[in-house]
Every structure is written in structure tokens, then in C-alpha cells.
Amino acid sequence: MNKKLLLDNLRCIPDWPIKGVNFRDVTTLFKSPEALQEITDEMVELYKDKGVTKIVGIESRGFVMSSAVATRLGAGIVLCRKPGKLPCETIQESYQKEYGVDTIEIHKDAINENDVVLLHDDLLATGGTMKAACDLVKKFNPKKVYCNFIIELHSEFPNSRDQFDKDIEITSLLQF
């Protein structure tokens, strides 16, 4: 993987959204055709032999790579969204955030026990959203669950992986 290409195209915004946070803006990776291709190729390489049948994109930046990779793996897409955004019957999972409780949901008929599911989001920090998404997906009893991130903020959140079930393989393309 060409990490230099990705790092050269990753915009970092100091003190946003609050002072002391160095925000990693993946939208600059998405606007670069070369970086977008590199991320897609790397994710496909990671999961091409895993039998993935569904990719769950976490709202909203997780939708971008989920779609690109799904087309190459021959997998379907499942949207994991905030409440009220999906038109049919859903199942939900609530989780604690720094300043309150949040909820995510997936269509009730999106995944079944024969699926091998890859969950994708742009960034792993505290891991709360992805942990909730994993818990939500596990309610469907799929064969296997994988998680992937473009960026992992390991130095700032060194224990974020510890909250995930040990049977979930977690990968990230860039670690800070």
C-alpha cells in the first residue's frame, strides 16, 4: 500500500471541532482519484478471500468506501443510519457517547445468517459507533463479522479495540 500517497492527500485540521483535536478529514482522500483507488485496492486485497456477502457502511463517510469495495467483491451494501432515515422496518442499537446516548439502525431484512459481513467506517477513535454497529449486526447471527477503518487513532485511543468481541477481525489502513 502506498501510505505516502494517502498521507499526502489526508487533510488534518488542528483544533477542530474543539481545541486540542487534530481532525483527520478523509474527504480529501475521496476527492483524489489516486488515493480513492489506493484505498479501494487495499480493502479489496484485505477481504477478497473472506467470502464477504454484505458490507455495512456506517453513516455517512462509511458509505463511500463500502460502495466502491462492494462492487469489486460482488457484495451487497447495507446502510447503518441514524433513526428515521431508513424507510422500512428497522432494528436499533443505542450506545453511550461522550455527551449522551445515540442510536443507529439497519433494515430488519438487510442481513441473514448466511451472510459474511464487513462493517466499514472512516475512522476508529473511541470505537463507540462501530461497537454498537457490530452489536447490531450480530443480532442477525451472520456467519462472520469483520471491521475495517481507513484511519485508526491508536496513539490517542490505545484501548479502543479492546471493547470488540475477540472473534471480530479489525483492520485499519493508517494508524496514528
Side-chain angles (χ1 to χ4, degrees):
M1 179 174 61
N2 187 345
K3 288 186 179 183
K4 182 178 180 344
L5 171 69
L6 299 183
L7 293 172
D8 287 350
N9 283 280
L10 179 64
R11 177 171 40 205
C12 294
I13 304 166
D15 298 323
W16 196 87
I18 60 172
K19 188 167 180 58
V21 172
N22 190 19
F23 184 79
R24 304 312 197 283
D25 180 11
V26 297
T27 64
T28 53
L29 294 172
F30 298 157
K31 77 177 185 176
S32 162
E34 296 82 13
L36 185 61
Q37 186 67 52
E38 186 68 19
I39 294 167
T40 304
D41 289 347
E42 185 64 21
M43 286 182 62
V44 167
E45 188 62 29
L46 285 169
Y47 294 101
K48 68 182 181 182
D49 297 323
K50 306 280 187 181
V52 173
T53 58
K54 300 276 174 59
I55 301 180
V56 175
I58 311 298
E59 187 169 343
S60 66
R61 290 179 299 268
F63 296 165
V64 177
M65 294 314 305
S66 297
S67 300
V69 173
T71 61
R72 298 260 306 271
L73 292 181
I77 290 287
V78 174
L79 302 181
C80 183
R81 303 211 59 194
K82 294 178 180 172
K85 303 287 185 178
L86 295 171
C88 294
E89 191 175 353
T90 63
I91 61 170
Q92 298 184 334
E93 185 74 25
S94 293
Y95 60 102
Q96 188 68 40
K97 291 182 75 171
E98 296 171 55
Y99 303 107
V101 175
D102 211 345
T103 302
I104 54 174
E105 59 185 21
I106 293 176
H107 277 136
K108 193 173 186 176
D109 61 354
I111 299 169
N112 66 55
E113 64 277 348
N114 294 315
D115 283 318
V116 174
V117 179
L118 169 61
L119 291 95
H120 173 74
D121 205 358
D122 65 323
L123 186 121
L124 174 59
T126 64
T129 303
M130 184 60 85
K131 170 68 167 113
C134 285
D135 291 346
L136 183 56
V137 165
K138 283 194 159 210
K139 291 179 180 179
F140 292 96
N141 297 313
K143 287 182 182 176
K144 179 74 177 158
V145 176
Y146 298 95
C147 290
N148 173 266
F149 303 91
I150 298 171
I151 297 169
E152 182 175 352
L153 300 178
H154 184 72
S155 61
E156 296 172 52
F157 304 96
N159 301 317
S160 59
R161 287 181 178 228
D162 295 346
Q163 65 189 308
F164 293 92
D165 294 344
K166 299 303 176 210
D167 65 331
I168 296 176
E169 180 183 307
I170 300 171
T171 59
S172 55
L173 303 186
L174 299 171
Q175 291 190 346
F176 292 94

